[in-house]
Amino acid sequence: MEKIRKRGISASVEASIQEKAQKALTSTEKKRKIAQNAEIKQAEVELPVGLEELLKSTLERNSKIAAAANNIDRASAERMNAILGYLPQVNAVYTYERLDEKVISSDNAVYQLGRANYPVETADFSIEQPLYDLSRIYAIEYAMTTRKKSEVDYLAAIAEASYKVYNNYLVAIQSKSRMKSLQKRQRFIDRQVSGQSVLDTNGMGDEGALASLRGNKADLNAEESLEAATYHEALTDLARLSGLVVSDIKPIKFPSGFIGLEDGVDIEQGIAEAMHHNPRMLSSALQVTASEQRYKQAVMRDYMPVVSSYLTMEDEKRTASRFGGGSHTRDATLGFKVTIPIFNATGAGYVNATMAIDAENAAIDYHALVRELETQLRATYRRMRELSKALRSLREVVAQNLKAYRNERSKLKNGETVDLAVATRELSLNKAVERQNYYQVEYLKTWGQLQYLLGKNLMDQGLKQ
């Protein structure tokens, strides 16, 4: 292990890994289509992308959604295999042998040749039909439930991916907006620094105030860098989720009349509907059913008898025999078989013991998800109400700061004040607008979370640019 750690992977091994992987990635037509779909044309990513475009690309290119879609095909195949398990098993076998037999001693006169060497051709045809096998019946029910669950998991994958795209898009919008605001505030501080410098030239400056302004600008510069990091991290997440190379995003306009949407939501009714419509909840419920069916299947396999019928036909040709002559025989056998498990019939113990635990775990997960979903819905609903209150207050804050700014500008035109005072008012207005924009996007994020928790499709409710 030490040698491997120090040596690492050699260039030849890396090349071999890549070569084999590329062959495997293009070994079938479907894999080639997957690779083709993963290719990104430069024209697709030169311009800023909007939320609708990202959501559409997510539906087409997101790897988890694609995997969930493939799982539907797999579940369909498993369902068909379970059904085939109760249909007749038909086999045909052809055998060619050459027998060399030497009689060493015998008191039977027919072994007069002493030695025989001859070919034997055998053709077998058999049909076996299960007549009574409860474990196979439960296997069919389990496979059908799993097929339904795969469809729900596909919808859950779409819901989760679209919500993550929606949320990361708004995070990027928030960071981009705040970066612009911080840049604007730095320009305001530059104006204030310039004003202080003029006062300092006239002997009226305040060295402490000037140092404080420069410190504030450095602090704003650091905040801008942090916001830039958050912005690019959000773009990276959007690229991973949507399958596009995202370098910039389009702005959004806060929908008019959007505040207070939670007033039209009956949270108790919403919780009840979420238990029936949320894909995660449905998937968990189907998992409970599937685990119970799996447990019953194991019980039937461990304890219940199996009844089957069979038909075998054998055609055998021997050109010679130990008796000195050849033969051609044809046998047909029709029978019924009853298999009763007595003790450790499969040689693997009793599977139902572990299946019972899996069924109990599925029930535990279901009730935990019910509590989690209800708690999240109530918390999200309360958060929307509080954000609505904050936004109504911030509207008044922005209005008052705008009034003060306009009043200060009027004074400047009349020569009653200086540009430094106007810059201070403008800085206060900028801070108020920044807070308002931030909470508006927070409200949109919380609204999106509420829709996701309620089981509604954000693909159909994307914001318009």
Side-chain angles (χ1 to χ4, degrees), residues 51 55 160-174 234 238 241 441-442 444-446 448-449 458:
L51 181 57
L55 289 172
E160 182 179 0
S162 60
Y163 168 66
K164 287 183 176 179
V165 167
Y166 177 88
N167 191 68
N168 278 284
Y169 187 85
L170 292 178
V171 169
I173 289 290
Q174 261 181 333
L238 287 173
L241 292 163
V441 178
E442 279 296 309
L444 291 177
K445 286 163 63 177
T446 309
Q449 185 180 14
L458 282 172

Side-chain angles (χ1 to χ4, degrees), residues 54-208:
L54 286 166
L55 289 172
K56 182 180 178 181
S57 180
T58 298
L59 186 59
E60 295 172 351
R61 301 188 182 196
N62 184 271
S63 59
K64 289 189 176 181
I65 293 176
N70 273 341
N71 284 337
I72 295 177
D73 295 335
R74 175 174 180 169
S76 298
E78 290 178 347
R79 180 183 60 180
M80 180 56 65
N81 288 339
I83 294 172
L84 290 174
Y86 220 98
L87 295 181
Q89 301 168 30
V90 183
N91 292 285
V93 181
Y94 173 79
T95 306
Y96 178 85
E97 300 174 328
R98 189 162 193 89
L99 183 63
D100 187 351
E101 184 177 29
K102 182 179 181 181
V103 178
I104 304 300
S105 65
S106 176
D107 57 0
N108 195 328
V110 298
Y111 286 160
Q112 56 190 347
L113 294 178
R115 184 167 191 155
N117 186 304
Y118 54 90
V120 180
E121 293 181 67
T122 306
D124 292 313
F125 178 80
S126 65
I127 301 177
E128 183 172 351
Q129 171 64 58
L131 299 177
Y132 177 81
D133 189 344
L134 290 177
S135 68
R136 292 176 188 259
I137 294 175
Y138 279 113
I140 294 172
E141 292 184 359
Y142 170 76
M144 294 178 71
T145 303
T146 302
R147 175 64 169 75
K148 292 178 185 177
K149 184 177 181 298
S150 67
E151 293 178 355
V152 172
D153 288 342
Y154 172 69
L155 295 176
I158 293 176
E160 182 179 0
S162 60
Y163 168 66
K164 287 183 176 179
V165 167
Y166 177 88
N167 191 68
N168 278 284
Y169 187 85
L170 292 178
V171 169
I173 289 290
Q174 261 181 333
S175 295
K176 189 175 182 179
S177 174
R178 190 154 192 269
M179 282 191 293
K180 289 182 178 179
S181 177
L182 290 170
Q183 291 168 1
K184 194 172 183 180
R185 283 161 63 180
Q186 289 179 67
R187 290 194 293 271
F188 293 153
I189 290 180
D190 285 339
R191 286 169 58 187
Q192 289 179 312
V193 169
S194 177
Q196 285 289 345
S197 298
V198 170
L199 292 174
D200 188 57
T201 302
N202 297 328
M204 302 171 60
D206 186 341
E207 188 174 342

Side-chain angles (χ1 to χ4, degrees), residues 241-258:
L241 292 163
S242 67
L244 293 174
V245 178
V246 184
S247 58
D248 197 7
I249 56 173
K250 295 178 182 177
I252 61 170
K253 183 178 180 181
F254 189 79
S256 58
F258 211 68

Side-chain angles (χ1 to χ4, degrees), residues 149 152 274-287 366 369:
K149 184 177 181 298
V152 172
M275 298 303 166
H276 295 90
H277 299 305
N278 186 289
R280 287 179 61 207
M281 202 71 248
L282 291 174
S283 178
S284 182
L286 285 168
Q287 182 61 41
Y366 175 82
L369 184 58

Side-chain angles (χ1 to χ4, degrees), residues 193-455:
V193 169
S194 177
Q196 285 289 345
S197 298
V198 170
L199 292 174
D200 188 57
T201 302
N202 297 328
M204 302 171 60
D206 186 341
E207 188 174 342
L210 188 61
S212 177
L213 288 171
R214 287 171 177 166
N216 289 338
K217 182 180 178 181
D219 185 53
L220 291 174
N221 191 31
E223 286 189 48
E224 182 187 352
S225 298
L226 290 175
E227 284 299 332
T230 302
Y231 176 70
H232 290 295
E233 183 179 357
L235 294 186
T236 301
D237 288 337
L238 287 173
R240 175 179 54 82
L241 292 163
S242 67
L244 293 174
V245 178
V246 184
S247 58
D248 197 7
I249 56 173
K250 295 178 182 177
I252 61 170
K253 183 178 180 181
F254 189 79
S256 58
F258 211 68
I259 298 176
L261 285 179
E262 71 280 357
D263 295 335
V265 177
D266 184 340
I267 188 60
E268 299 300 333
Q269 182 181 351
I271 291 172
E273 290 179 355
M275 298 303 166
H276 295 90
H277 299 305
N278 186 289
R280 287 179 61 207
M281 202 71 248
L282 291 174
S283 178
S284 182
L286 285 168
Q287 182 61 41
V288 170
T289 303
S291 299
E292 183 67 15
Q293 291 167 341
R294 196 72 165 170
Y295 164 68
K296 291 180 179 179
Q297 179 191 1
V299 170
M300 297 303 110
R301 187 187 299 117
D302 288 341
Y303 301 115
M304 293 300 292
V306 175
V307 181
S308 61
S309 63
Y310 60 90
L311 169 66
T312 61
M313 300 180 67
E314 182 182 77
D315 188 280
E316 183 184 73
K317 294 179 182 179
R318 293 173 178 262
T319 57
S321 72
R322 296 171 294 181
F323 307 102
S327 64
H328 181 189
T329 60
R330 181 171 295 155
D331 300 326
T333 305
L334 175 64
F336 295 89
K337 181 171 63 175
V338 179
T339 304
I340 303 175
I342 301 297
F343 175 74
N344 194 23
T346 63
Y350 293 91
V351 181
N352 71 87
T354 57
M355 292 297 104
I357 295 173
D358 288 345
E360 292 166 1
N361 287 340
I364 291 171
D365 292 340
Y366 175 82
H367 292 297
L369 184 58
V370 169
R371 292 192 298 271
E372 177 188 341
L373 186 59
E374 181 177 353
T375 302
Q376 286 183 329
L377 279 166
R378 293 188 186 281
T380 304
Y381 179 74
R382 285 195 294 268
R383 179 173 171 79
M384 285 189 71
R385 292 178 66 92
E386 294 303 323
L387 285 170
S388 291
K389 293 179 184 178
L391 283 170
R392 292 187 183 100
S393 298
L394 283 170
R395 279 183 178 177
E396 180 64 21
V397 172
V398 170
Q400 294 301 323
N401 276 275
L402 180 61
K403 183 178 179 180
Y405 166 67
R406 288 173 176 172
N407 184 55
E408 199 69 37
R409 284 186 62 184
S410 298
K411 288 183 179 180
L412 181 64
K413 290 179 181 179
N414 297 329
E416 298 175 6
T417 187
V418 294
D419 184 64
L420 180 60
V422 175
T424 301
R425 294 292 187 187
E426 194 171 358
L427 179 60
S428 298
L429 175 61
N430 174 263
K431 289 180 179 179
V433 171
E434 179 194 323
R435 285 199 304 274
Q436 183 184 45
N437 291 339
Y438 181 86
Y439 282 109
Q440 282 178 342
V441 178
E442 279 296 309
Y443 187 86
L444 291 177
K445 286 163 63 177
T446 309
W447 173 83
Q449 185 180 14
L450 183 65
Q451 303 309 302
Y452 169 65
L453 293 172
L454 289 172

